[in-house]
Amino acid sequence: MIGFETIGNATITVFDDIPVLTTDPWIVGKPYFGSWDHAYTIPNTQLDNIKKSKYVWLSHGHPDHIDESSFIHLRNSIILIPDHYGDRIFNHFNENYNCIKLKSNEWFQVSNNVRVKSFADWNQDASLLIDILGKDIICDQNDGSLLGWSKTISNIVQNYKNKFILKLLNWGDADMINLYDESGEFILPSAASQMPIGEAYTRTMQNLGYNYAIPFSSMHQYVREDSYHMNKFCTPLDKFSEGFVNTYGELLPAFIQWDSIKEDFRRIDCIKKPTHPIPIHEFGDNNSDELSLEDREKIENYFRAFEALPKHFGSIVFTVGSKDFEIGLSKKKTSIRFETPRNSLMQSIKYEIFDDMLIGNFMKTTLIGTKSLYPGFAPYVGKYGDNGLAKTEKELKKYFDYYKLNSADYWRDMLKFKTESIVRTLIGNNKDIHNFARRIKQKYF
């Protein structure tokens, strides 16, 4: 069989008689400190195809895309890694695996009938174009926004007969949404509005010229007892087609096998995984644990390394074991309070993956004098700093200079990115205005 199948959360397996490529293989484990699990089982046949793939492409550093516990099954695969600034992912895997770094916007031949182009962006995400037989093109956009490459990718895609778009489109829970205001009230996220996702797929296909779309990068559920309540914001599988109009193409099921010779697909049957709240002690956490003096020193050193933070925030406060620890940054009135168990927090500091604490949505985050973690906190810490290894002003300049030189559509997409960041800062998590802004973005960008 020549074609591909979609399975799991954000995994595509491509076939040229045999499995030749798999993307972002989260197949076991519970990422985000145990907060996430698969929403649907992966059948044994598809698991075997993933394990037998010659190449594995990794888009970015989030653990639902790079799950360490899954790689015990992929020892024989060659790891393909985008040319992200800082090379954190490449350097990590290159120690124990056969790795190839893919230069952006250059074709890499996977097999006789399959080739790929990888596109790294300044938000430490990446997208992948998969060419099958010269007539099928898959844009694996996963969690990214094609930053620096949107026009270039669009131009390439138009040359193909069957054009597939696979990207994160959901109600919006795959982000930091466990947010509270200064009065202690939960800030209702945009996910609560349950926007018709089918409408977003229709707009995407219309604006970007795809004739097939597949729900993607959204197949998770919450299982930690302190994040379990967030399941009400997850998009059920039967809601992805709500509002979809097939004027521009077809919205396929989430789990399919596509035959590129017959130009047809069959559905892969996956069972909804039963779930129940898992006590946090099973993940090493205890709400009564307090920070030691050594812990406090490590946390303070970690956050003081990000030179951009004092420009946006006066302090960061951690409430751990019912005791507060404050890091003073500047004289500004704005502050962020994080209430979280100790063990997960210290793991995130040790391994420099604080973004995992935010997206896990078990940590209670209170915004004081500010409406959003964007743009002053989240990207500087999780994206440019932890993943891109750029924390000082000097490092950040080198970081963005790199993407200016290595992104064909940098200035066009930076305008879009800054516009979105300004909107997010002004409106915070106001779901009605946020949804309106998202519609504008999808229509004009």
Side-chain angles (χ1 to χ4, degrees), residues 112-124:
N112 288 338
N113 296 301
V114 178
R115 61 177 183 165
V116 298
K117 264 192 182 187
S118 182
F119 300 86
D121 70 46
W122 75 76
N123 212 36
Q124 288 292 306

Side-chain angles (χ1 to χ4, degrees), residues 366-379:
T366 301
L367 305 176
I368 302 169
T370 183
K371 294 182 178 180
S372 177
L373 293 170
Y374 292 91
F377 184 88

Side-chain angles (χ1 to χ4, degrees), residues 9 26 30-37 60-65 123-125 143-144 168 170 172-179 217-218 220-224 226-231 233-234 338 340 344 348 353-365 373-374 377-379 381-383 386-387 424:
N9 180 57
W26 166 32
K30 293 179 173 58
Y32 300 108
F33 305 102
S35 187
W36 283 29
D37 194 4
H60 66 289
H62 282 157
D64 58 313
H65 297 260
N123 212 36
Q124 288 292 306
D125 285 315
D143 295 2
L168 187 156
N170 59 24
D173 81 286
D175 201 347
M176 53 246 19
I177 62 172
N178 194 18
L179 302 176
S217 203
S218 304
H220 64 270
Q221 59 187 338
Y222 293 89
V223 294
R224 270 181 70 124
D226 49 3
S227 64
Y228 192 78
H229 63 287
M230 290 297 180
N231 279 313
F233 299 122
C234 291
F338 298 112
T340 183
S344 292
S348 76
I353 50 172
F354 193 75
D355 213 21
D356 292 6
M357 295 291 291
L358 295 168
I359 298 175
N361 283 317
F362 59 89
M363 179 171 66
K364 179 180 178 180
T365 301
L373 293 170
Y374 292 91
F377 184 88
V381 174
K383 300 294 187 180
D386 282 351
N387 291 339
R424 293 185 75 158

